[in-house]
Amino acid sequence: MTSTEANSRPSSPEANSRPSSPEAGRPTKQRLAVARIMDTFEGFRSAQEVHTLLATAGETVGLATVYRALQRMAEAGEVDTLRTEEGELTYRRCSTTHHHHLVCRACGATVEIEGPAVERWAQTVSHEHGYVDVSHTLEIFGTCADCARVSTGGR
Amino acid sequence: MTSTEANSRPSSPEANSRPSSPEAGRPTKQRLAVARIMDTFEGFRSAQEVHTLLATAGETVGLATVYRALQRMAEAGEVDTLRTEEGELTYRRCSTTHHHHLVCRACGATVEIEGPAVERWAQTVSHEHGYVDVSHTLEIFGTCADCARVSTGGR
DNA sequence: GATGAAATGAGAATCGTTGTCAACTTGGCT
DNA sequence: AGCCAAGTTGACAACGATTCTCATTTCATC
């Protein structure tokens, strides 16, 4: 502590420091580790999987911290989220433009797809019904060529 | 498809002499109660809400039973499921034809919508990428006219 | 009516996710 | 260079939705 209060410069409580990035947060070691590991894989991974991946890579980051980091990155648009059919949230680094995914049920291979027509259609239909502030979720699930080839012999 | 086809028949083979309904199950009082209450409302309701609704209606059905009944009805195509943005599963009785929903974030009002063009587009895009056995989820969220009117003064 | 499989219900058990809070960093400022 | 305040972290508790367990009850059939 500063022994007694410095009478000369009480220092303004706030308003003097300018956050370099309004909602950026700090680039801590843990966040950087999470951000880095997100570049090392292709498909969508759950927070827990990311946590395990980090541990395997030698980076020890708390599970709660991984959740928080991914959450923040998702809000910032740095990663995309996808809710699996079982309800689990998964994350993946991807482009910031609005798009959807074509995911293989078997191996998880993902293809980013765009559908301007769909976007427009969603807007139009919504407005026709008086809805505003519209957003939508669209995910396509299927079996990719490779997995389909393998499964043909099964059963 | 939540499915859970993990476990088969735990009991002994037991030759089914004459299955009146292969996968129908029995029309018990509880299931009938759940089926009946599903006709009394419009939007999507979670299993817990349905359970409360039943209790309010004087029908006492265990929560687990409500879950099981809704699950079964969903598999049978008698009700439609929708995963909310928070990840909670909700159910609603609706037509068996494939369609999507336009849901109000505020009041839950739902409009069933169809988009043949979207269906075709999804198929086409998927096939272009070599995917087969394709399905998709598409939900549109927005604020309905009524709620939008109210919120204009709020906040 | 007896019988056995299916179904129910109450609560425990899971599991993903979030909250709590003390200890620790970080950045800014003196 | 060093200190303070605020932002972060991590371990674990808390939570909420859903599923599982299993003793008891109900249904359809004999």
Side-chain angles (χ1 to χ4, degrees):
Chain A
M1 347 80 171
T2 20
S3 18
T4 49
E5 66 284 346
N7 49 27
S8 53
R9 308 293 288 278
S11 75
S12 324
E14 81 267 11
N16 53 357
S17 62
R18 272 284 313 292
S20 54
S21 309
E23 303 297 336
R26 290 182 190 164
T28 66
K29 188 161 54 174
Q30 290 86 343
R31 287 185 191 169
L32 291 174
V34 172
R36 208 174 323 115
I37 205 104
M38 292 303 286
D39 288 323
T40 68
F41 57 83
E42 279 296 304
F44 283 86
R45 297 292 152 83
S46 69
Q48 314 236 15
E49 288 173 325
V50 171
H51 176 243
T52 301
L53 247 44
L54 282 167
T56 304
E59 305 269 17
T60 307
V61 181
L63 180 57
T65 301
V66 172
Y67 269 102
R68 285 183 287 234
L70 289 174
Q71 211 169 266
R72 183 176 293 243
M73 291 173 77
E75 282 173 19
E78 295 168 30
V79 297
D80 219 32
T81 64
L82 165 59
R83 180 133 357 224
T84 68
E85 295 185 332
E86 298 87 51
E88 193 177 10
L89 255 190
T90 56
Y91 305 82
R92 180 203 193 194
R93 162 144 290 164
C94 57
S95 51
T96 55
T97 64
H98 180 78
H99 59 263
H100 303 288
H101 301 99
L102 171 54
V103 189
C104 174
R105 286 193 199 82
C107 69
T110 306
V111 179
E112 288 187 8
I113 53 183
E114 289 182 37
V118 177
E119 315 295 329
R120 251 175 281 122
W121 171 79
Q123 287 292 323
T124 304
V125 175
S126 304
H127 290 163
E128 279 175 4
H129 288 281
Y131 283 62
V132 297
D133 190 23
V134 177
S135 68
H136 61 267
T137 66
L138 167 58
E139 308 298 344
I140 306 181
F141 298 95
T143 306
C144 74
D146 289 345
C147 292
R149 197 174 306 129
V150 173
S151 66
T152 45
R155 227 179 160 87
Chain B
M1 300 28 166
T2 22
S3 66
T4 65
E5 41 70 37
N7 50 18
S8 44
R9 302 288 188 255
S11 47
S12 56
E14 167 57 47
N16 286 334
S17 50
R18 81 184 69 77
S20 55
S21 309
E23 302 298 336
R26 290 181 190 164
T28 65
K29 187 161 56 174
Q30 290 86 343
R31 287 187 191 168
L32 290 175
V34 172
R36 206 175 323 115
I37 204 109
M38 291 304 287
D39 288 323
T40 68
F41 57 84
E42 280 295 305
F44 282 85
R45 297 292 153 83
S46 69
Q48 314 237 16
E49 288 173 326
V50 170
H51 176 244
T52 301
L53 247 46
L54 281 166
T56 304
E59 304 270 17
T60 307
V61 181
L63 179 58
T65 301
V66 173
Y67 270 101
R68 285 184 288 234
L70 289 174
Q71 210 169 268
R72 182 176 294 245
M73 291 172 77
E75 282 174 19
E78 295 168 29
V79 297
D80 219 32
T81 64
L82 164 59
R83 174 100 47 192
T84 68
E85 295 184 329
E86 297 88 51
E88 193 177 10
L89 257 190
T90 55
Y91 306 81
R92 183 204 191 191
R93 164 145 286 164
C94 57
S95 51
T96 55
T97 63
H98 180 76
H99 60 262
H100 303 287
H101 301 100
L102 171 54
V103 189
C104 175
R105 285 195 199 84
C107 70
T110 305
V111 179
E112 288 187 10
I113 52 183
E114 288 182 38
V118 177
E119 315 294 331
R120 251 175 279 122
W121 171 79
Q123 288 292 323
T124 304
V125 175
S126 304
H127 291 163
E128 279 175 6
H129 289 281
Y131 283 63
V132 297
D133 189 22
V134 177
S135 68
H136 61 266
T137 65
L138 167 57
E139 308 298 344
I140 307 181
F141 298 94
T143 305
C144 74
D146 289 345
C147 292
R149 197 174 306 129
V150 173
S151 67
T152 45
R155 190 107 187 138

